[in-house]
Structure formats: C-alpha cells, structure tokens
Amino acid sequence: MAVTILGISAYYHDSAACLVRDGEILAAAQQERFSRKKHDADFPAEAIAYCLEEAGLALADLDHLVFYDKPLIKFERLLETYLAYAPGGLRSFLAAMPIWLKEKLLLKSLLRKELAALGGSAPADLPPLLFTQHHQAHAASAFFPSPFERAAVLCMDGVGEWATTSVWLGDGHRLTPQWEIQFPHSLGLLYSAFTYFTGFKVNSGEYKLMGLAPYGEPRYRDLILKHLLALKDDGSFRMDMRYFNYANGLTMTNRAFDRLFGGPPRRPESPVTQREMDLASSIQAVTEEVVLRLGRTVHRELGVDHLCLAGGVALNCVANGRLLREGPFKEIWVQPAAGDAGGALGAALSVWHQYLDKPRAGADHDRMRGAYLGPAFDNAQIEAYLNSAGIPYQRLDDDTLMARLAALLDDEQVIGWFQGRMEFGPRALGGRSIIGDPRSAKMQTVMNLKIKYRESFRPFAPAVLAEQVTDWFEYAGRSPYMLMVAPVAEARRIAMTDDQQRLFGIDKLKVARSQIPAITHVDDSARLQTVHAETNPRFHRLIAAFAERTGCPLLINTSFNVRGEPIVGSPEDAYRCFMRTEMDYLVLENCLLAKSEQPVQPRDQSWQHEFELD
C-alpha cells in the first residue's frame, strides 16, 4: 500500500507544503502564491489544500506529517545567545519572547490545531506528526532528488537550529552528517548584513546585492577578511561579532560596522552610489572565496566527484558557477527551492528515505520534474474565467500561437507567459514567466522600469534550448533551474572601446556587451536556464519557433510579477499583473490577449516605482 507524506515549512519565512508518495514528489507550492503576500510565513493552509487536491486525498488519508525544523532546539539557541550577550540584547529579547512563549514553544500543538481545522477533524485523528532538523531537511532536499547515487552535500544558510553551514555524505538512501559551523558564525547572515547595509531588504534583497556586484570593484574585500571574517584555508571561518547586531539586537549591523565602512547604512529607496556597488562586489568576492575553499575541502575529505547544494546561499548562482568552473567537482546539482520553502520537500523525503528506511528509485536522473510541481489551469478553466469577466481574447492552436508569438517577440513586444504547472522555488522557469527578445539593446531597461517596476541594474536571465547552449555560452552541462552563471561565448561578445573600458558603475549598463545584450551582464556573464523538451515541451517549442524565425535559440525569461509581489499563481493574478504593467500581450495556455484590445482600467500608481541610479 502506498505511503503518503506531507512536508510543511512555516512560521519563519517562505512557508510551503510538499506531498510525497512512495518517494515520488507529487506536488509542492509556496503559500505566498495563494495568499499574495511575498515570503508569507503563515501556516500554509492553501498550499496544503492544493497538494491534497492534486493527489485527490484528504488529510486523514496521509500516513505522516512532518515539519522542517525543531523549534525546541532553536529556542535553546536563542536563550543561550541572549545569556551570552547579557545584559545587552534586552530589546531583542523582549520582542522575541512573547512570540515564542505564546506560539513557537507550542508549535506541535499549534500545527495539529491548524491541520485539524483544515481537515475538519479532531487533532487526535490526524496522522503522526514528525520533526526533522533544519539542515537535515535542506540536505535531504538537495541529495534525494538529485541524479547522483553518491555525493557530498553542502548546506549554507542564515541559521537553522544551531547550524549555519553543514556537510553531509549522501550514499544511496542515506545521509550522514560530517561536520558543521554553528551560529553566530554564518556566511548567509554575513551576506544579509551587507544586504541590510546597502539598503535592501534582508531575506529578499540578496538577489539585488548579487546583481549589483559587477558594477563595483572589490575595494573592501581585504577589509572584510581583516576585520569581519577570519577565514581559514579549509573554508571554515569565524566572525568578529563586535561589528554585528543580529545575535542580540534588532538590526543586522552596528556603529562599529558603520565606522569601518565610512558611514551609516544606505537608506532604502535612496540612490545607489559607487560605495554600495563596491560593497556588493566585495562581499560577493568574499562569498565566492569561502564557497570555493569549502568545496575543495569537502571534495578532499569525502573523495566524491559530485556535489549537491541547498540553503539560501545556494541561490547565489554566481558563486555556484565559479565553484563548477574552478572547483574539483565533475557535476553540481542545486535544489531549485534551496531556501526554507524547500525544507518542506526535504522533510518529506527525509521521512521516506531515513525514518522509514526506503531506497531511492531512479537515482540516475533528476526527480524534481523540472520544479513544475504547482497548480495548472486548463483552457476550459481559463476561458470560463475570461468569458465571465468579459475579457477579449483569441483562442489559437499551438502551431498558430507559436508562430504568432515568435513574430511578436521579434518585434520587441513583451509577453506574459502562463502555462502548465507553476514552478516550485523562487525562479520562474517557463510556467509563470515574462519573456522578451534578448537581442534588443533596450529590453533590459524597458522590462525593469516599465514591466517589473524595479531597479534598472537588475539583470535578466536567458532561457536557452538545451541542445544549443554551447553555441552561445561557455557552458556544456544542464542548468534547468537558473542557478548557474556562465560567460557568454567569446564569438558572441562585442569588444569594448577604450572609452567604454574606462566607464564605472551604472554607466556600464549602457554598453552592449554581446549579440544578446539584454541578458549579458557587465562582466560578460549570464544566469542560464537550459530548457529541455522532456520537462517543459511547450516552452521549448516556443523558443524553437523564435529560433527558426531569428536564428537566436533563447529568450529573456523573468518571473511573472512586479517588484514586491509574489510570482502569479492563477489566471486572475496573471491578468491583474498584465493590466497593471506595460506588457504588450498575455498568453494563458492557448488564449492570447492583446493589451490594445483590453478595456481601459485605472492604473494603480502604487505599483510604479521607477529608479534612475546615480
């Protein structure tokens, strides 16, 4: 009889649910896609309901429930930290304790109460509720779905219970912990400290910091390594906590940090200056050095040729790309939902493989299904919505639609693309995407300022046909989850003039660096998504149609949302976003909507945040 397990992550950030049956991942989704609250940390009731509906099950049909964290150990860490810093940290202590005493210490009861309400049953009638450790869930999410029978696993994040960096050996269906670095010494929190200091939001602005780094110079790298981070040859490190406030305060950094870097943190929404660009470049350089040293040490100690990555730091695709190019591993596989949302998946797989001692099936291939694990909407559902709302559209068969979209993209039209199952994780991978022509010199600015309403320096990623990736990039492997950065092929680049070479900062953005300038970063790199016919045949077919028309087998692919909003989850979300931006066309499965044919709606000015950077 089949064994079904529901994994849950909640109450910290990025709540999610995942359903696994006999080790096969059936469904997974983040709560934010349903609640429309970005990084929603609440109990993932709607995500759980979706997973159950997808499998045709009720809560009572499940065999196990599992949570991705052990709150009592985390509470122990908080108490020990406050005691270590006493009498400092009183404000933080007074802010944190009421939440813990009221909710998180009673998390098991709270979870059972929420689940019982969702299932319409008594708590006593629920399946058994289990708990994994935080980094155990991360490691399981990285290794068990990977295509490797044996691999090292490296988890790096802010902090779980105590661990901030952990190393594991995955072999068959077993994960064995090797060693860890503990709080408060954390590469993830160090990077978040610079995210905070440069004026971006912690736990969501780290992408911005990574995107800003190539515009600066690593002027502060040595200062960081001299004062903030004692880094050993093996990649282990300790941080000087005199410069940080996150262990016992309400901010990430303190006045000593301000003095070290010549002034206070940048105010959010104020102009980004050369200092922020240089800080971003410096912490990115340090992060890459730590990751490279850790990778080499893990390879030497465990003697394996494959590496799996998870934890928030694993979303740093620049560091991942450098580790693959310069490190000792033949292949690297990164969990696409590497942050806390992926903990729900890892917790469920931990129960199946470790708690129930079940073997892995098909360990020679990626078991994430391309990360297309969320809800889908068929043409009948979409047309029912459009007709009921009086929204004009055309219904086109695939052959006609693909040819029409290729022509529109060739004409520099920006298109919202909604089809198939929604992606699990922070990246849009051709299910809920905004797409455009990468050959257009103006497209990056247009899409940032008029579509995404975000900072103009933010880079876009190319979605490239997997079979043609080597023609356009210095990369020969798979990157289906947009978590590897690679250089644009030398033959596709455009040489810079002497005057262009002397440009600094954001002025670099104005220079076309290749034949595909909209996705080429200022360091001649790009964040790759290889598109495979077996996992997303319609997106693959669209790119192939564009390639047949233009000779260019790739498209800009960015997430279907605007700044501050989660990626769209439903046709209603997609239409709302379409009408509130300057997208030209919207595709909902086989339904094509032209902006010019839509009824005029009042523009919501709160969505528009245009940035011109100094």
Side-chain angles (χ1 to χ4, degrees):
M1 190 172 179
V3 175
T4 311
I5 304 160
L6 178 70
I8 301 169
S9 66
Y11 302 125
Y12 299 104
H13 51 85
D14 293 309
S15 293
C18 175
L19 197 66
V20 169
R21 177 190 289 150
D22 287 351
E24 180 185 2
I25 305 164
L26 298 183
Q30 292 126 282
Q31 177 63 15
E32 66 166 19
R33 308 293 170 84
F34 305 93
S35 68
R36 310 308 303 155
K37 176 183 176 184
K38 194 163 187 178
H39 301 300
D40 194 345
D42 292 339
F43 178 75
E46 291 163 291
I48 293 171
Y50 153 68
C51 289
L52 294 173
E53 181 181 1
E54 183 69 27
L57 297 173
L59 267 175
D61 299 323
L62 303 180
D63 296 283
H64 294 283
L65 309 168
V66 58
F67 190 72
Y68 82 127
D69 205 83
K70 292 197 173 182
L72 290 179
I73 301 177
K74 183 168 283 189
F75 185 65
E76 170 193 275
R77 186 254 298 168
L78 287 173
L79 286 181
E80 288 194 23
T81 301
Y82 284 129
L83 287 172
Y85 284 90
L90 180 61
R91 288 180 62 204
S92 177
F93 178 82
L94 293 175
M97 282 306 104
I99 299 172
W100 274 92
L101 295 175
K102 183 179 178 182
E103 296 179 3
K104 292 184 179 179
L105 272 182
L106 306 173
L107 193 58
K108 186 172 184 177
S109 296
L110 178 61
L111 281 168
R112 295 186 72 83
K113 179 181 175 182
E114 295 277 17
L115 287 162
L118 181 64
S121 63
D125 297 329
L126 291 171
L129 177 60
L130 304 172
F131 292 80
T132 67
Q133 289 196 25
H134 188 94
H135 270 235
Q136 178 189 0
H138 274 321
S141 77
F143 177 64
F144 292 135
S146 79
F148 310 137
E149 178 64 26
R150 181 178 169 88
V153 184
L154 178 59
C155 303
M156 301 168 286
D157 65 0
V159 61
E161 294 89 1
W162 277 103
T164 65
T165 298
S166 64
V167 175
W168 307 69
L169 177 63
D171 192 351
H173 70 287
R174 300 188 183 280
L175 267 173
T176 306
Q178 303 298 304
W179 51 267
E180 66 183 37
I181 298 171
Q182 293 193 342
F183 183 87
H185 310 290
S186 167
L187 184 61
L189 290 174
L190 176 66
Y191 204 89
S192 291
F194 278 86
T195 301
Y196 164 83
F197 192 73
T198 51
F200 302 119
K201 190 174 181 180
V202 171
N203 291 330
S204 63
E206 285 77 6
Y207 302 121
K208 300 181 183 182
L209 194 67
M210 183 177 65
L212 190 62
Y215 295 98
E217 301 292 332
R219 304 182 194 280
Y220 302 104
R221 176 188 177 278
D222 292 344
L223 199 65
I224 293 170
L225 292 173
K226 180 179 179 181
H227 293 280
L228 302 186
L229 192 76
L231 178 61
K232 297 182 180 179
D233 289 342
D234 64 2
S236 62
F237 56 85
R238 291 186 66 82
M239 294 166 60
D240 189 336
M241 296 308 297
R242 291 176 298 178
Y243 294 93
F244 300 93
N245 208 26
Y246 61 76
N248 64 330
L250 299 176
T251 59
M252 293 299 296
T253 60
N254 58 27
R255 291 180 181 176
F257 196 101
D258 297 353
R259 289 192 293 271
L260 187 64
F261 295 104
R266 167 183 165 259
R267 287 183 296 105
E269 311 299 343
S270 65
V272 174
T273 68
Q274 191 64 45
R275 182 183 76 148
E276 283 75 47
M277 297 176 198
D278 292 343
L279 286 166
S281 177
S282 301
I283 191 56
Q284 180 63 34
V286 169
T287 298
E288 291 172 26
E289 184 62 29
V290 174
V291 170
L292 266 172
R293 292 191 192 186
L294 284 171
R296 289 166 179 156
T297 297
V298 169
H299 181 265
R300 183 177 65 252
E301 290 181 348
L302 301 186
V304 291
D305 291 326
H306 300 97
L307 176 69
C308 302
L309 296 174
V313 177
L315 295 172
N316 192 309
C317 51
V318 179
N320 296 345
R322 189 173 170 200
L323 179 59
L324 182 61
R325 290 191 304 274
E326 301 178 29
F329 294 99
K330 291 181 180 177
E331 292 182 84
I332 296 175
W333 191 88
V334 187
Q335 166 54 237
D340 273 16
L345 183 153
L349 291 176
S350 287
V351 172
W352 176 250
H353 292 299
Q354 295 178 276
Y355 182 74
L356 299 177
D357 199 28
K358 299 293 185 180
R360 292 166 75 204
D364 60 342
H365 66 275
D366 181 334
R367 296 163 61 205
M368 282 295 295
R369 297 186 174 186
Y372 306 112
L373 297 167
F377 298 82
D378 61 27
N379 280 307
Q381 291 172 297
I382 289 167
E383 289 193 78
Y385 158 64
L386 295 174
N387 291 333
S388 67
I391 297 170
Y393 67 95
Q394 285 182 284
R395 170 73 183 266
L396 304 173
D397 62 61
D398 264 12
D399 288 342
T400 306
L401 179 64
M402 298 305 171
R404 178 78 182 280
L405 294 177
L408 291 172
L409 290 162
D410 190 22
D411 193 36
E412 296 186 296
Q413 303 294 290
V414 178
I415 298 172
W417 170 257
F418 181 106
Q419 62 92 36
R421 295 184 72 174
M422 182 176 69
E423 304 90 339
F424 182 52
R427 306 294 191 209
L429 301 170
R432 307 288 185 271
S433 295
I434 300 173
I435 54 178
D437 185 351
R439 303 167 304 158
S440 170
K442 68 179 184 180
M443 194 57 65
Q444 180 183 11
T445 300
V446 167
M447 291 180 74
N448 266 327
L449 298 183
K450 294 188 176 183
I451 311 298
K452 300 285 282 187
Y453 299 128
R454 68 184 194 183
E455 301 89 345
S456 62
F457 66 82
R458 299 281 296 278
F460 288 109
V464 57
L465 296 179
E467 56 270 28
Q468 296 190 47
V469 65
T470 56
D471 295 335
W472 292 80
F473 301 96
E474 293 179 3
Y475 191 85
R478 295 169 66 94
S479 180
Y481 305 123
M482 210 182 283
L483 286 169
M484 288 289 173
V485 164
V488 173
E490 187 77 36
R492 305 291 180 181
R493 298 181 202 170
I494 298 172
M496 297 177 69
T497 67
D498 290 341
D499 286 344
Q500 289 171 340
Q501 293 277 10
R502 287 190 284 269
L503 293 174
F504 283 96
I506 210 68
D507 289 337
K508 297 177 182 178
L509 184 63
K510 303 169 185 177
V511 179
R513 311 296 291 258
S514 77
Q515 298 169 14
I516 40 176
I519 58 85
T520 304
H521 215 348
V522 295
D523 58 0
D524 296 322
S525 71
R527 175 163 47 95
L528 292 181
Q529 180 199 358
T530 54
V531 180
H532 303 262
E534 65 269 23
T535 53
N536 196 333
R538 289 190 83 231
F539 194 40
H540 187 277
R541 186 175 179 185
L542 172 61
I543 300 172
F546 183 74
E548 184 177 357
R549 181 182 178 92
T550 66
C552 179
L554 60 147
L555 292 173
I556 296 172
N557 177 15
T558 189
S559 56
F560 197 152
N561 66 327
V562 295
R563 181 175 181 261
E565 290 279 323
I567 294 173
V568 300
S570 68
E572 292 89 342
D573 298 335
Y575 185 74
R576 188 182 310 113
C577 184
F578 171 60
M579 292 303 294
R580 287 173 166 171
T581 66
E582 296 180 47
M583 270 183 270
D584 301 297
Y585 288 85
L586 170 63
V587 178
L588 300 171
E589 290 295 341
N590 286 87
C591 299
L592 179 63
L593 289 69
K595 177 64 68 62
S596 60
E597 298 173 359
Q598 301 307 307
V600 176
Q601 296 186 2
R603 181 64 57 84
D604 182 351
Q605 298 296 326
S606 67
W607 281 54
Q608 299 194 35
H609 304 276
E610 297 198 8
F611 293 85
E612 292 296 338
L613 304 181
D614 292 342

